[in-house]
Amino acid sequence: MGVSRFLNGFVSGTVCSAFAFIFYNRFTIDMTDEKYTFRKLHAKEAPRLRAVDSGTALKLRGSEILKYGIPDRGLDARLYENHVLCYDQAKKTPIWVAEHITKADLKGPANRRNCNFNIDPTLDPFFTSHVSDYKGSGWSRGHMAPAGDNKYSQDAMEETFYYTNIVPQDVNNNGGFWNRLEMYCRDLTDKFSEVRVISGPLMLPVQEEEGTKKFVKYEVIGNSSVAVPTHLFKVIAAESPQTPGSPVAVGAFIVPNKPIEGSAQLVEYEVKLEELEKSAGIYFLPQLPASKRVDLCSVDSCKLIPQETLELFFITRKLENAETLQRLESAWKDLDRRSLIPDDYMISIYKKKKESLMNK
Amino acid sequence: MGVSRFLNGFVSGTVCSAFAFIFYNRFTIDMTDEKYTFRKLHAKEAPRLRAVDSGTALKLRGSEILKYGIPDRGLDARLYENHVLCYDQAKKTPIWVAEHITKADLKGPANRRNCNFNIDPTLDPFFTSHVSDYKGSGWSRGHMAPAGDNKYSQDAMEETFYYTNIVPQDVNNNGGFWNRLEMYCRDLTDKFSEVRVISGPLMLPVQEEEGTKKFVKYEVIGNSSVAVPTHLFKVIAAESPQTPGSPVAVGAFIVPNKPIEGSAQLVEYEVKLEELEKSAGIYFLPQLPASKRVDLCSVDSCKLIPQETLELFFITRKLENAETLQRLESAWKDLDRRSLIPDDYMISIYKKKKESLMNK
């Protein structure tokens, strides 16, 4: 009786039928998904769940239990111009953000100076974080899909400034080690025609004292209680598919969300993909069998550009963009402050700029 | 080029086409789901994402980014004989467990003494918790769908002993306040013909000192790092749909995962559904509009059976089941230890049992 009443309800009403659609599809996925091969392996142990003839009864019971819908923890994937992400409605940060980087994406006129951090207009406002959560928190707004991977399109770059793509990140880490890791991913396009990167936050437990209990502890900031990750991860999958049969170079990295020494090497943060997957509770590359993978750091040096080079690059940019003599001199003094030695190119920029500013 | 190669790949191979199926469906859900009305509201602000003519291009780009599949955080809903749940592959506990309780489910021969805790044969073993995680941890194995809601079927009851339905729970809370809350849900079937309950763990932040930062801190146990929730929640939706137009009585409760005084009242733990939803990041009843809800504790007393009654009930059962004089006397002394006063029924059970055991 309850069942037939329920099915009646399904037939009328657009909201209900939308739900029926989702419901049917999700359970179809549940039952037939090729990915879940363990279901087949264990079919004998769980005959009740897998038996084809009991499928319909189970679905009806499921519909009865979930009369008011499948509890909604958000979409599995949110699609943007040049990235895809899954959002954590509880932590108010992304869970993972996926990109596909080619040389073509890295060239173009898009400029981050024209971008502003924004609430994602496609996200339910009930679950968003806000600028006010970050303000005064001591944490910077860290992009998971970096702005710099979207030089080809101002629109795509702007979408990386949505809060759905942002986590609270240590400011030094954000501008330092993590920045260099992002540059490394871009530089991989010199060697591989396609580079896929999945980035996200992680909460890892620590043992407070030897032999004692393990705890996960993380700060939450602002009225929205945005979760500050203890670590950040990147999964890199690089390949040149025009060479048939060549494996995909895969590296998984876990980086603590804190300042990291300029001398640190990327390989120190490499972990087995499976280790990261177990902690995160996510299979990151479900359709790429282990047999088709090769360790990235065995086919590439996994060397980041030196911290010094990065700093020299930033100072050069400051010199080039200085609009007053005062700013020019301040940028020049940065070299001393950081014990950096300018090369001939920098010296020539400094001299030319000084001359032109003095003649103004 | 990359796109056409990719689409080619899709056509051949069952694994790939299974993925294509999911991929297509998920993004179809993304684009058309009636539930996400905010998408329509914000259509003007995000024309690129919503424009129908750009849909195909976006999907193709999405397929390219996610060439190796949508990162897989597990199914949205796992279907069992008499409950449905969503599992947290990172925390190794359920996220939510949904039930539909009627009087019929509560009668029958199923017995929890014949049940054992088991690994869920339908879960990927990579993400399961194990008996060894709980052993010696100091935490009990707390059912989210209670065994006692499945008296009608031994099979259904056994499935509640799968680790997918279990969280590390304070033992006193498990056998005390939480137990009484579960009984309350069952007793609601006296008043309402259909009772739906969604239960699960929660991680709530605390401010360590006034005016300081807020932190979420929780223990993880065992080699699998099973997350010990700081709190547990229950959403109750009770109705008698045979009375047309009557609202659904909804109550949301958050209970700390620690011992709770016998004198505590359920209403002390009631919260607004929206408050729980914001913390959990889940819409629990996405298809039940607020206008069709009424506060459960305004139409029902929300009174749990007294802790004393529960203890008297357990001691009565011990008296009835005692197989030796020693056990009988020990159960009888429990009354003194807990300052409980036996009623005439208990006294008569004790006397009869004593006589029969002495005559053995």
Side-chain angles (χ1 to χ4, degrees), chain B residues 73-303:
Chain B
R73 57 176 181 150
L75 298 169
D76 282 333
R78 310 179 67 85
L79 192 51
Y80 299 86
E81 192 95 9
N82 199 33
H83 64 282
V84 184
L85 64 81
C86 181
Y87 185 73
D88 191 325
Q89 297 182 161
K91 296 204 176 76
K92 281 75 180 175
T93 63
I95 295 173
W96 55 258
V97 183
E99 303 168 84
H100 172 230
I101 313 172
T102 62
K103 274 211 171 300
D105 303 330
L106 303 177
K107 283 176 207 149
N111 191 333
R112 61 179 296 151
R113 285 170 196 231
N114 302 327
C115 296
N116 290 308
F117 287 94
N118 269 317
I119 284 178
D120 185 337
T122 72
L123 180 73
D124 183 346
F126 189 64
F127 292 122
T128 189
S129 63
H130 298 87
V131 56
S132 55
D133 296 318
Y134 285 85
K135 219 169 187 176
S137 72
W139 295 95
S140 74
R141 290 171 289 187
H143 285 67
M144 291 297 95
D149 293 355
N150 298 277
K151 294 283 287 176
Y152 80 100
S153 157
Q154 188 69 33
D155 282 352
M157 189 179 280
E158 272 173 32
E159 288 185 346
T160 69
F161 283 78
Y162 287 160
Y163 281 105
T164 39
N165 181 47
I166 303 296
V167 305
Q169 187 175 9
D170 173 79
V171 65
N172 177 303
N173 182 297
N174 194 350
F177 191 85
W178 191 255
N179 194 354
R180 288 156 66 210
L181 177 50
E182 290 172 344
M183 288 175 174
Y184 170 73
C185 294
R186 287 193 282 272
D187 288 345
L188 277 173
T189 58
D190 288 339
K191 197 168 185 166
F192 301 95
S193 63
E194 301 195 23
V195 178
R196 288 182 176 79
V197 184
I198 306 176
S199 315
L202 212 56
M203 302 301 181
L204 293 187
V206 289
Q207 205 152 25
E208 294 186 344
E209 284 168 55
E210 189 89 29
T212 63
K213 297 172 175 181
K214 285 183 292 176
F215 290 91
V216 170
K217 183 179 179 182
Y218 57 88
E219 192 179 342
V220 298
I221 57 173
N223 282 336
S224 318
S225 292
V226 186
V228 181
T230 64
H231 294 73
L232 302 167
F233 70 80
K234 261 194 203 296
V235 175
I236 303 173
E239 63 183 312
S240 295
Q242 55 274 30
T243 315
S246 64
V248 183
V250 175
F253 305 93
I254 297 181
V255 178
N257 188 11
K258 62 183 188 189
I260 288 178
E261 286 277 319
S263 60
Q265 297 299 312
L266 181 55
V267 286
E268 296 170 35
Y269 299 96
E270 197 187 14
V271 296
K272 283 202 173 135
L273 178 62
E274 289 73 17
E275 183 189 329
L276 169 60
E277 289 182 323
K278 196 154 212 159
S279 294
I282 299 171
Y283 285 129
F284 288 103
L285 304 164
Q287 301 298 327
L288 181 66
S291 61
K292 293 196 177 161
R293 295 176 342 214
V294 64
D295 176 34
L296 176 67
C297 299
S298 75
V299 297
D300 185 80
S301 67
C302 277
K303 282 239 164 80

Side-chain angles (χ1 to χ4, degrees), chain B residues 9 11 13 32 88 117 141 144 176 198 281 310 314 340 355:
Chain B
V11 179
T32 63
D88 191 325
F117 287 94
R141 290 171 289 187
M144 291 297 95
I198 306 176
L310 182 68
F314 282 132
L340 297 168
E355 217 175 281

